[in-house]
Amino acid sequence: MMKKLLEIKDIYAEAEGNEILKGLSLTVNKGEVHVIMGPNGAGKSTLVNVVMGHPKYKVTGGDIYFEGEKITDLKTDERARKGLFLSFQSPEEVPGITVEGLLRSARSAATGKPLKLMAFRKELKEKLELLQFDESYATRYLNVGFSGGEKKKNEIIQMMMLNPKLAILDETDSGLDVDAVKIVSSGVNKFKNPENAVLIITHNTKILEDLKPDFVHIVLDGKIVKTGDASLVEEVNKYGFAEFKDIAINS
Ligand SMILES: Nc1ncnc2c1ncn2[C@@H]1O[C@H](COP(=O)(O)OP(=O)(O)O)[C@@H](O)[C@H]1O
Ligand SMILES: [Mg+2]
C-alpha cells in the first residue's frame, strides 16, 4: 500500500510581494526518491523552503500535509520535529563551532530533548564509518577551509544523524566534483529505506546515475509542468528545458 508522506496541494507562495509558486502540487510516498529539476529561478529552492516553513516566504494559497496532517501553518522547528529535514549549507566559516557541535544542537532542536552524549558520539562514529568519512572530520571547525566535498559530507552527515522521515537536499551549487557527487549519491542510497523518502533538487545528471530516482519532476515558473521516471533526465540532457515551456503555456 502507498503510504503518503508529503502532500503539497495547489500551493501558491510569494516573497516580498513576488509571486513565485503558482499552483504547485506534489505527492511523495514513503520509500520513494524524487528529483526536481528546472532552470534557475524556476522556484525550486522556494518550494523546499516553503515545505520547511521558512518565514521569508508567504503561502497565499493551497496546503501542505505531512503524514496526513496539515502543516501549512507550523513553524520550521515544529516541522523538523515531525521528521522534515532540509540540508542547510551554511556558507560561512564558523570558527569555534565544530561539525559535531552543530550536529548536537541540530539533534536537540529536532528531538526537543536533551542529548545523551555518549550514545550520540557512538552513533556519529558509526555513521562516519558507514560513509567512509574520516573520524577527525567531526572535530573540525564548521566550513573553515572546507572543500566542496567536505561541505557535502556535512550535509550528508546531518541527514544521517537527524534521520528524518523526509530528507530534502537542495543542491544549489552545480559545480560538484566527482568525489562530491559520490558523497551525495552514496549517502542517499545508504539513508533511504521503505519508511522514509528523499526529495533532491539537482542539475547534476551524474548523481542521478547512482541514485535511480522513482520520479523526476520539471519545475518551470512556479509549477510542475512534467513528471516522469528517470528517463526524463535524458530528455532534459538532450533538449534542455525549452521544450517544457510549451507545456507550461498550455496548462
Ligand atoms: N526572498 C526572496 N525575495 C524576493 N524574491 C525571491 C526570494 N527568493 C526567491 N525569489 C525569486 O523567486 C524566483 C525563484 O527563486 P528560487 O526559488 O531561488 O529559484 P531556483 O531555486 O529554482 O533557482 C527568482 O526569481 C528569485 O529571484
Ligand atoms: Mg535554488
Side-chain angles (χ1 to χ4, degrees):
M1 201 189 82
M2 288 289 188
K3 283 185 273 179
K4 261 186 209 167
L5 193 57
L6 177 74
E7 203 178 5
I8 301 169
K9 284 189 181 167
D10 201 24
I11 206 87
Y12 287 78
E14 56 172 53
E16 286 160 41
N18 277 341
E19 189 173 57
I20 305 171
L21 299 182
K22 303 171 183 172
L24 189 150
S25 298
L26 171 68
T27 300
V28 176
N29 296 304
K30 289 183 181 176
E32 294 176 348
V33 175
H34 289 243
V35 164
I36 292 183
M37 304 183 91
N40 290 327
K44 305 179 298 295
S45 294
T46 300
L47 171 65
V48 295
N49 278 300
V50 163
V51 169
M52 282 313 290
H54 194 298
K56 223 166 48 179
Y57 301 91
K58 188 172 162 221
V59 172
T60 54
D63 273 306
I64 304 170
Y65 295 83
F66 193 65
E67 297 195 298
E69 182 192 349
K70 189 174 135 183
I71 61 161
T72 324
D73 305 315
L74 295 188
K75 294 203 183 76
T76 300
D77 60 325
E78 293 169 317
R79 298 184 201 207
R81 282 200 286 275
K82 291 200 180 296
L84 279 149
F85 165 87
L86 172 60
S87 69
F88 43 100
Q89 269 184 313
S90 152
E92 278 159 52
E93 299 190 354
V94 194
I97 294 188
T98 61
V99 169
E100 187 192 320
L102 179 79
L103 286 171
R104 277 159 56 177
S105 20
R107 169 72 75 89
S108 310
T111 58
K113 286 182 205 139
L115 194 83
K116 294 201 177 80
L117 192 54
M118 292 297 281
F120 179 87
R121 285 234 161 102
K122 185 164 170 274
E123 197 185 324
L124 179 57
K125 191 165 178 273
E126 284 165 10
K127 297 289 196 257
L128 288 166
E129 268 166 23
L130 179 71
L131 295 164
Q132 294 173 298
F133 295 167
D134 195 273
E135 232 184 282
S136 64
Y137 182 69
T139 55
R140 289 191 52 186
Y141 289 129
L142 198 62
N143 290 336
V144 177
F146 274 19
S147 67
E150 286 163 341
K151 285 182 182 162
K152 283 290 131 189
K153 284 185 185 176
N154 199 24
E155 264 181 72
I156 296 302
I157 273 290
Q158 277 174 34
M159 176 177 81
M160 288 288 208
M161 289 302 288
L162 295 177
N163 195 22
K165 290 175 183 161
L166 177 65
I168 305 173
L169 304 175
D170 188 354
E171 299 300 308
T172 38
D173 86 77
S174 47
L176 293 184
D177 63 22
V178 215
D179 291 344
V181 167
K182 283 236 155 59
I183 289 165
V184 174
S185 53
S186 91
V188 167
N189 282 330
K190 285 185 174 118
F191 167 78
K192 70 177 188 188
N193 68 45
E195 290 304 311
N196 66 23
V198 181
L199 180 63
I200 173 164
I201 297 174
T202 187
H203 292 289
N204 197 306
T205 49
K206 207 82 195 122
I207 290 184
L208 302 173
E209 284 171 20
D210 287 336
L211 212 63
K212 305 207 172 30
D214 301 292
F215 296 98
V216 176
H217 311 276
I218 310 290
V219 173
L220 272 189
D221 195 22
K223 267 190 285 195
I224 290 179
V225 296
K226 187 158 185 177
T227 292
D229 58 18
S231 67
L232 198 50
V233 178
E234 299 307 315
E235 223 176 300
V236 171
N237 270 344
K238 255 194 215 149
Y239 308 110
F241 293 115
E243 68 161 313
F244 302 107
K245 291 218 164 92
D246 303 330
I247 312 175
I249 289 161
N250 295 326
S251 68

